[in-house]
Each structure stands twice: as structure tokens, then as C-alpha cells.
Amino acid sequence: MRLKNKVAVIYGTGGGIGGAIARAFAREGAKLFLTGRHWAPVESVAKDIVAAGGSAEAAEVDALDERAVDRHLQSVIDKAGRVDISFNAVGIPNAKILGVPLVELDVEQFSLPITTYAMSYFLTARLAARRMVANGSGVIMTVTALHSRTGIPLVGGYGPAMAAKEALTRDLSVELAPLGIRVVGLRPQGMPETPTIKDAFAPRAKASGMTWEQWQELLASRTHPRRLMTLAEMADVAVFMASDKASGMTGTTVNLTMGSLDD
Ligand SMILES: NC(=O)c1ccc[n+]([C@@H]2O[C@H](COP(=O)([O-])OP(=O)(O)OC[C@H]3O[C@@H](n4cnc5c(N)ncnc54)[C@H](OP(=O)(O)O)[C@@H]3O)[C@@H](O)[C@H]2O)c1
């Protein structure tokens, strides 16, 4: 049990990545405080975890609402006494941000992913860090995508948003690591089990005439093992990064693109 009795808060638990991280952390013994913008999908993950013998509580928290995040973290401290891990897995629907060439993109559509992703990560990280400082330990985590480091057409403000999160991971770390808090990110390739990847494919399909199968094959052909990653593989790495065994890792985003992106 690599996360035994660690108190973990997850934002965006109702999503593909948030749910997989929650289940993996629970299997490793973490006490989970699960949050999301809508209650039902978060509660469903919490119920599964509790039914499997784990510890999880669900709450509706908008990760862009500073007061709501703060109130929730205070309730975690009141119940569990501490916060050891904060994981931001928040994501917004691709339909709102992808598919329009940059020269035709309006300012609101360009800035939506940048403000949403950067702001939500900043708020959840900052408020968790304030609690972690008291214990002199903690791990702040998030997820990005390879758009942070390579040009991809028709993704609007998503690439700058991912780059901003990776920069924030470094900057948080340089300020927080002296206080015992590590800050690490994961940068997975697309995981076809998640609805998000199918949503992201739709505008590309329209532009290129590719089928879903052809698109997956194209993405897979860019990886060294010629296949895409599973949610379970990503969650296994996240467990290690959240654990004390990764005490040497901070200020970095782990490249889980399976060779698609050189370091
Ligand atoms: N899936 C992949 O293969 C993959 C690969 C690389 C990177 N990523 C990135 O990883 C992140 C998560 O991906 P995903 O596939 O898990 O996305 P997802 O299935 O769309 O999940 C995102 C979750 O975030 C929640 N959310 C959105 N705004 C929120 C807010 N303000 N406060 C609280 N929760 C909020 C959503 O809740 P509601 O639905 O209730 O709004 C949803 O449950 C995204 O940034 C995505 O781009 C994904």
C-alpha cells in the first residue's frame, strides 16, 4: 500500500482521468476526498471505492471558485486533520475550444482554456499548499498533454493552456519544495478509453476525412511501442509520483507520451 493513510483531494473526479486516479489511489490505501463540478459522477466513483473497501467522500466543488475550494479543504482538515495530495484533473469540453483555425478564432474561445486550466490549477494548488506548509510535506499534481511542447493544428488556446500549467508546476515547485512540498505533473498521450479523446478527434475527422480507427492508428504510430496508453498505466505512474518513493521528483512534468515527444 504505497499511499496508506495519505489524505488526497481530487478535482474533476467525474472525468476519465480523475476517476481512474481516484480508484488507483484508493487501492493503495489513500483516504479520498473527491470533488467535481457536478455531484452525481463524483458520488458514483466514491460509491465504487467504498464498495471495494476503500475510503472516499464526495463533494460538489467548482474548482474555479476560490471560496468553494477553500471551504472544502477546510472541511477535509476538520475531518482528516491534513491534506497530503492535491490532484487537479479538471477538463473542459473540447467542442468549446477545438476545430477553429487560429486566424479565425475569437478572443473568448482562445482565452477560455488558458484561463480555465491555469486558474483552476493555480487556485487548487495554492489553497492546498497553504494547508500542506503546516505539515512540511505534501504533493501537488496535475495532468497536461503533449500540446504543451509541440505544434498541433486546430487546438486554439489549448496548447498555450497546457504550456502554462507546466510552467506553473515548475514555478510552484521552486517556491514550495524548500517547504517540503513537491509539485509534479503527468503528460499522457491520448487514452482512447476516455470520452475526451473521441471528442478531440471529431473536428480533426471533419477536416481530414479520417475515421476514429484511422485516427487512433495515426496517434499510435507516433509512439515507440506503436500503441496508445491505458488509463491504468497512467494511474500506476501517478501512484508512484504521489508516493514517498518519488521524493526525488519535483518541478517536473513526466513525459508519458510513449516516445511521441522527445525530452
Ligand atoms: N483523456 C485523455 O486521453 C487525456 C490525455 C492527455 C491530457 N488530458 C487532459 O487531462 C484533463 C482531464 O481529462 P479527462 O479525459 O479526464 O477529461 P473529462 O473526462 O472531460 O473530465 C474533466 C472533468 O473535469 C470536470 N470539471 C470541469 N470544470 C470543472 C470545474 N470548474 N470544477 C470542477 N470540475 C470541473 C468535469 O466535470 P463536468 O463534466 O461535471 O463539468 C469533468 O468531470 C484535461 O485537461 C485533458 O485535456 C486528457
Side-chain angles (χ1 to χ4, degrees):
M1 289 239 174
R2 285 173 291 176
L3 303 178
K4 196 165 170 47
N5 295 328
K6 298 273 189 200
V7 177
V9 180
I10 300 182
Y11 301 93
T13 312
I17 291 182
I21 295 287
R23 291 183 168 91
F25 282 10
R27 278 194 298 274
E28 296 291 337
K31 290 184 181 171
L32 289 159
F33 290 86
L34 305 177
T35 73
R37 190 159 48 172
H38 297 105
W39 163 259
V42 182
E43 193 203 15
S44 156
V45 177
K47 272 189 174 160
D48 286 354
I49 288 172
V50 171
S55 166
E57 266 187 41
E60 193 172 286
V61 179
D62 181 343
L64 285 166
D65 178 341
E66 183 172 13
R67 285 194 188 166
V69 173
D70 200 41
R71 259 197 314 273
H72 176 258
L73 279 173
Q74 195 50 51
S75 77
V76 173
I77 299 288
D78 294 344
K79 286 175 192 162
R82 53 192 291 130
V83 178
D84 298 305
I85 302 164
S86 168
F87 196 112
N88 185 315
V90 162
I92 53 175
N94 285 315
K96 287 191 178 166
I97 53 181
L98 305 186
V100 180
L102 285 166
V103 289
E104 289 165 24
L105 196 66
D106 66 46
V107 170
E108 286 73 28
Q109 203 178 357
F110 176 71
S111 59
L112 179 69
I114 300 171
T115 48
T116 304
Y117 283 112
M119 194 65 79
S120 148
Y121 182 32
F122 167 67
L123 285 178
T124 56
R126 182 182 67 163
L127 292 169
R130 286 183 183 165
R131 269 74 184 197
M132 291 170 174
V133 162
N135 304 322
S137 71
V139 189
I140 291 170
M141 304 177 73
T142 195
V143 58
T144 56
L146 75 175
H147 308 60
S148 62
R149 295 261 313 276
T150 191
I152 298 180
L154 304 179
V155 299
Y158 185 76
M162 294 297 108
K165 285 182 79 178
E166 293 190 6
L168 190 53
T169 291
R170 294 189 292 272
D171 293 343
L172 285 164
S173 174
V174 75
E175 293 189 19
L176 295 172
L179 306 173
I181 301 163
R182 294 189 295 114
V183 189
V184 283
L186 299 104
R187 187 196 305 128
Q189 242 296 7
M191 292 166 287
E193 296 154 86
T194 62
T196 313
I197 286 308
K198 221 163 188 171
D199 293 352
F201 151 74
R204 181 66 70 86
K206 227 185 343 187
S208 65
M210 266 189 279
T211 64
W212 166 237
E213 286 68 30
Q214 287 167 332
W215 196 60
Q216 283 183 87
E217 276 168 29
L218 176 70
L219 290 184
S221 74
R222 293 175 180 157
T223 71
H224 290 182
R226 305 279 188 268
R227 69 171 179 84
L228 291 172
M229 179 168 283
T230 63
L231 274 170
E233 287 176 311
M234 181 225 44
D236 279 344
V237 178
V239 165
F240 168 72
M241 287 163 63
S243 77
D244 295 338
K245 293 284 180 203
S247 57
M249 287 181 80
T250 192
T252 192
T253 297
V254 174
N255 184 352
L256 291 178
T257 65
M258 299 174 100
S260 319
L261 195 70
D262 286 342
D263 285 323

